[in-house]
Amino acid sequence: MNARGLPTLLGITLFALPLAAQTTAPAAAQSAPAPVPKLTPEQEAHFLALGKTYNRWFLAGKADSLLQVLAPETVENIGGIEGLRSMMNQIAERAGVETKIVEEKMTRRNGRPQFWHAGLFSDFPDDQLVLRWILDSNGKITGVGAGPLAQAPAPDPN
C-alpha cells in the first residue's frame, strides 16, 4: 500500500475506481453503475477514439484535460487533481516512457465499456503495462485501472 492507501504491485500503483468490488466504502452506501447497453459500431469507434485521447492525456501528464472527463465520484475517489497528478507521476517514475503500443481495444468490464491499452515501457521490461478506462454511456470515465498485464482483471466474456 502507498501513502494514499492504493495497492502497489512491482512498484506501480494500481488503481481501479470506483468499481464496487474494489472500493473500501461500505456496500450499503455504494452501488455499481448500471451496465451500458451494447455499443453500436459507430459508438464503439467513438469510444475507442475517446480512450486513445484519454490515454494520451494521461501519459502526457495533462491532468487538467483528463479531470474534465472524469465522473464526479471518480474525481473524489482519486483525490482530485492532486491524486490524478500523483498517479500520472507514479506511472512515469516507475514505468518510464512508453516505447511501444502493443494493443488498444474496446472491451467490457462489469457490463460497462472499457478502453484497454497495453504497452511496453522503458523501465518496466518484464511485462506489458495495461491502462484501462471504464466509461459510462456518455464517455465519462467512471473507473481507472493500471498495472502489469499479468495482473490485469480479465474483460467480460463476449
Side-chain angles (χ1 to χ4, degrees), residues 18-32:
L19 303 178
Q22 299 173 341
T23 61
T24 57
Q30 188 166 349
S31 63

Side-chain angles (χ1 to χ4, degrees), residues 5-145:
L6 295 170
T8 58
L9 178 64
L10 302 175
I12 294 185
T13 298
L14 303 177
F15 44 96
L17 301 168
L19 303 178
Q22 299 173 341
T23 61
T24 57
Q30 188 166 349
S31 63
V36 173
K38 185 171 171 76
L39 302 175
T40 66
E42 294 80 15
Q43 290 170 315
E44 186 151 332
H46 175 68
F47 276 40
L48 182 64
L50 286 177
K52 289 179 180 186
T53 297
Y54 299 163
N55 207 69
R56 188 173 54 253
W57 288 346
F58 183 83
L59 293 175
K62 295 184 176 186
D64 292 332
S65 296
L66 198 54
L67 192 69
Q68 300 303 310
V69 296
L70 293 172
E73 62 275 6
T74 305
V75 172
E76 182 179 328
N77 285 337
I78 64 171
I81 189 99
E82 291 308 316
L84 181 57
R85 285 184 179 133
S86 176
M87 290 176 192
M88 291 173 162
N89 290 337
Q90 285 189 25
I91 294 292
E93 289 170 4
R94 296 207 162 79
V97 297
E98 187 170 50
T99 58
K100 181 180 178 184
I101 296 172
V102 176
E103 180 178 37
E104 290 182 311
K105 63 184 178 180
M106 286 303 301
T107 65
R108 293 181 81 74
R109 177 83 176 130
N110 296 329
R112 297 187 329 244
Q114 172 182 252
F115 174 76
W116 176 285
H117 173 98
L120 299 176
F121 285 74
S122 60
D123 298 340
F124 197 67
D126 296 331
D127 201 352
Q128 296 171 33
L129 181 65
V130 175
L131 302 170
R132 300 174 294 113
W133 306 102
I134 309 295
L135 307 172
D136 69 11
S137 59
N138 298 312
K140 286 275 194 180
I141 298 170
T142 61
V144 180

